[in-house]
Amino acid sequence: MVISWLSLLPALIMLLCMLITNHLNFSLFIGSVSAALIVSEGGINAAAIKLYERFFEQITDINKLYLYAFLICISILIALLNQSGSAIAFARNIIHRLKSKKNVELSSMALSSLLFIDDYLSNLTVGYVMRPMTDRFAIPRAKLAFLVHSLASPIVILAPISSWTAMITLQLDQAGISSKLDSAKIIGEPFLVYLQAIPFVFYSFMIIGSALFIVSRHISYGPMQTHEQIAHTTGNLLGGKQAPHEPIMSSNAHGSAIDLILPIFTLIMSVIVGILYFGGYHFFGGEQTFLGAIKNNNQTEFILFLSGIITIISAFALTLLHRTIQFKQSFSVIYAGIQAMIPSIIMIILASTLGVFLKDDLKTGTYLAQTVLSAVPFSLLPCMFFFAATIIALITGSAWGTIAILIPIETQMLLSFTTATLPCTIAEMPLLLPILGAIFSGAICGNQISPISDTTIMAATSSGSYPLDHARTQFPYALPAIISTAVAFIVAGALISWGNTIAIFAAISTNLIGCVIMLTFLNKANTPTSK
């Protein structure tokens, strides 16, 4: 089909339906149906076949199956930690060290920082571990979900030893950025180019700085303030709603904190070792260096799944050894874990189905990129790429898909502007790194604020919140960071001719201050005045 404004229609229908019905799964399904009808040009039978094909892809793709299995493994682990009482024991052992809400919220951010290896791992683990402590201090589940989400992908993309590294370097290589002169359009080692672009990922710095300031200064406004007021006055941590179905927290007096600490440590180490092993690290008989192995790894989903299985086996063995659960309870724990995660997996499948329609069939991202970026002043390109990436990720719910769409567009656009002989160097394309940072920033930003992204669903699920409540409450908190990031890219685009260091310092420093000012103003504007 010809790429046109119709490619936006399914996303708009989905959003409108969600506003009317307040039912995410139904809205995702309706959006997918409308996308299938547009792709098939109104043919009912063709649309039904296309819808079935796209849905079938989501439940048969081996990497997606590994991901779903990993989600179930995590849920079973959490059910086990709850049943054995280890989650409560962990909270009980450190609760005396956490004297205030601020300390608890800062602790959740610190734990997210430790799980920088993968955003799925961070989103799924931190909420479950910290929930008993945030509940004790009457911190709304939506606030926990915001903190979990804001410290997941934004930190992962800043860490060159993460599950994102291989995907990003692959996209750069496919776009023509290579150290091989015979195939390169732009000369540069993709991994080193990625490292050089990291300081330009302004959204990560803005949202992490925002979260720290919100916690340290007790900033509260918008829908989140409503949730906090309800939690303070009634003790209801879900904005007055009934809690979603989840494993019941155990009051097992024999629970041990070590039964929680060792499985999580096992999970993290299994992921790290798996990435190094499958990446060909020389310690495991390969030929790669430590960073080379991380860059060379392309088995992330399988590694997460395998790590989940190893963790569950070790966790069950530990709890049975400590006799905090009985063997006959194991089956009910496994069933409870599967039952708790199924609704989230259904959401992810439906969201992925719509996302594939938008990305591959309707070419929504390409249409937006061509429309938004067609007539933009050269110095404003980083800002415009940030907005384009944010919109694409918001609509499709896919950060990786957004990066895959925009990196080839960026390189082709810059190559068309350059007068240098091809292949050219990075130095001959000064806007390459700021625009890469803008694409990464927008992909993370749009993915975070999208109500249909997998990370939104995971962060809400692990925190015990509703995905729509999480999306609604976190957007006003993310908005100052979004505005500051956009201005930062305008500053970087204007100053890039003065050098990367000056452009980065000026963009980050001035706009972090601007972000703090906006948050302070919003907090004061929403603080009741005494008469």
Side-chain angles (χ1 to χ4, degrees):
M1 62 170 287
V2 178
I3 301 176
S4 70
W5 65 270
L6 287 175
S7 64
L8 299 175
L9 196 56
L12 296 176
I13 290 173
M14 183 275 297
L15 292 172
L16 180 62
C17 185
M18 192 162 56
L19 290 174
I20 294 172
T21 66
N22 202 31
H23 196 293
L24 181 57
N25 284 358
F26 176 74
S27 302
L28 291 170
F29 177 73
I30 293 299
S32 297
V33 170
S34 63
L37 287 170
I38 293 173
V39 170
S40 62
E41 298 180 347
I44 302 297
N45 291 336
I49 293 172
K50 193 67 177 178
L51 184 63
Y52 170 78
E53 289 176 349
R54 288 305 186 201
F55 180 82
F56 191 70
E57 288 173 3
Q58 305 309 312
I59 59 176
T60 56
D61 180 86
I62 187 63
N63 287 327
K64 289 185 171 63
L65 291 177
Y66 284 140
L67 174 59
Y68 303 149
F70 173 67
L71 299 181
I72 290 175
C73 287
I74 292 293
S75 189
I76 292 172
L77 174 63
I78 299 308
L80 175 62
L81 299 179
N82 291 337
Q83 182 65 37
S84 67
S86 56
I88 293 294
F90 178 80
R92 189 167 54 237
N93 286 346
I94 69 170
I95 198 70
H96 66 279
R97 302 174 184 268
L98 305 175
K99 304 293 185 181
S100 65
K101 290 183 178 181
K102 181 168 75 172
N103 288 341
V104 173
E105 291 172 352
L106 288 174
S107 296
S108 71
M109 297 175 69
L111 181 56
S112 294
S113 301
L114 294 175
L115 300 178
F116 64 86
I117 195 75
D118 183 74
D119 55 331
Y120 285 0
L121 178 64
S122 179
N123 276 310
L124 286 167
T125 304
V126 178
Y128 281 122
V129 172
M130 294 302 301
R131 197 193 306 173
M133 283 163 280
T134 56
D135 285 359
R136 184 183 179 92
F137 282 89
I139 298 170
R141 299 282 180 83
K143 181 71 170 291
L144 176 59
F146 163 71
L147 296 176
V148 168
H149 210 171
S150 298
L151 272 291
S153 301
I155 281 184
V156 168
I157 200 166
L158 297 179
I161 47 172
S162 73
S163 58
W164 288 52
T165 303
M167 179 275 297
I168 291 174
T169 54
L170 174 64
Q171 296 300 329
L172 292 173
D173 183 72
Q174 290 180 343
I177 300 174
S178 174
S179 57
K180 301 175 183 177
L181 296 180
D182 57 338
S183 61
K185 297 177 182 176
I186 302 171
I187 301 172
E189 168 59 40
F191 181 66
L192 296 179
V193 173
Y194 166 47
L195 290 180
Q196 292 176 279
I198 286 176
F200 288 98
V201 188
F202 295 148
Y203 181 74
S204 288
F205 301 115
M206 299 301 166
I207 193 64
I208 294 170
S210 294
L212 283 170
F213 187 72
I214 286 168
V215 170
S216 62
R217 297 301 297 271
H218 304 289
I219 303 294
S220 181
Y221 62 89
M224 191 73 80
Q225 186 180 60
T226 302
H227 277 247
E228 290 182 317
Q229 289 172 344
I230 292 173
H232 177 71
T233 56
T234 70
N236 185 295
L237 305 179
L238 291 133
K241 296 180 181 178
Q242 185 178 1
H245 177 77
E246 56 194 12
I248 300 174
M249 299 298 291
S250 172
S251 59
N252 188 344
H254 302 290
S256 170
I258 199 68
D259 290 343
L260 179 142
I261 295 171
L262 282 182
I264 291 180
F265 178 78
T266 299
L267 182 61
I268 296 171
M269 292 306 300
S270 296
V271 172
I272 294 174
V273 171
I275 288 174
L276 294 175
Y277 176 81
F278 286 99
Y281 185 42
H282 64 79
F283 183 79
F284 298 111
E287 300 178 352
Q288 299 289 336
T289 63
F290 183 85
L291 292 179
I294 293 170
K295 181 179 67 173
N296 193 51
N297 166 62
N298 60 358
Q299 298 286 332
T300 300
E301 292 84 358
F302 177 70
I303 292 167
L304 289 173
F305 161 68
L306 190 60
S307 299
I309 294 294
I310 293 171
T311 302
I312 286 178
I313 293 173
S314 62
F316 269 105
L318 194 63
T319 52
L320 290 172
L321 179 65
H322 291 170
R323 299 182 179 179
T324 50
I325 69 166
Q326 299 177 0
F327 180 77
K328 63 182 180 182
Q329 292 178 288
S330 302
F331 300 101
S332 61
V333 168
I334 293 172
Y335 176 77
I338 294 173
Q339 186 182 31
M341 188 53 69
I342 289 300
S344 295
I345 291 177
I346 292 173
M347 286 185 193
I348 293 173
I349 291 173
L350 291 172
S352 299
T353 300
L354 177 58
V356 171
F357 269 118
L358 297 175
K359 182 169 69 75
D360 294 339
D361 296 310
L362 297 174
K363 307 293 183 183
T364 304
T366 302
Y367 172 74
L368 282 171
Q370 292 173 350
T371 303
V372 174
L373 303 171
S374 57
V376 177
F378 201 63
S379 63
L380 292 181
L381 279 176
C383 182
M384 297 310 296
F385 266 98
F386 168 68
F387 278 122
T390 299
I391 294 170
I392 293 169
L394 170 65
I395 292 176
T396 64
S398 173
W400 286 20
T402 300
I403 292 171
I405 289 168
L406 287 182
I407 284 181
I409 293 174
E410 174 213 16
T411 54
Q412 289 301 316
M413 182 177 292
L414 291 179
L415 287 170
S416 67
F417 289 153
T418 187
T419 57
T421 303
L422 298 183
C424 60
T425 64
I426 301 294
E428 292 173 300
M429 306 186 73
L431 278 180
L432 176 67
L433 297 177
I435 294 178
L436 282 176
I439 292 172
F440 299 154
S441 293
I444 295 168
C445 175
N447 179 261
Q448 180 182 352
I449 64 177
S450 173
I452 67 171
S453 73
D454 45 9
T455 57
T456 295
I457 296 167
M458 290 177 192
T461 299
S462 73
S463 303
S465 179
Y466 289 98
L468 287 182
D469 285 346
H470 169 42
R472 287 169 179 161
T473 53
Q474 81 163 345
F475 178 73
Y477 276 19
L479 188 57
I482 295 172
I483 295 171
S484 298
T485 300
V487 177
F489 280 117
I490 293 175
V491 172
L495 298 181
I496 195 64
S497 60
W498 292 30
N500 289 350
T501 302
I502 293 176
I504 291 168
F505 177 78
I508 293 179
S509 60
T510 58
N511 286 284
L512 270 177
I513 295 172
C515 190
V516 166
I517 292 172
M518 280 187 279
L519 288 169
T520 302
F521 172 78
L522 288 168
N523 184 56
K524 289 184 177 180
N526 284 269
T527 301
T529 56
S530 58
K531 296 184 179 180

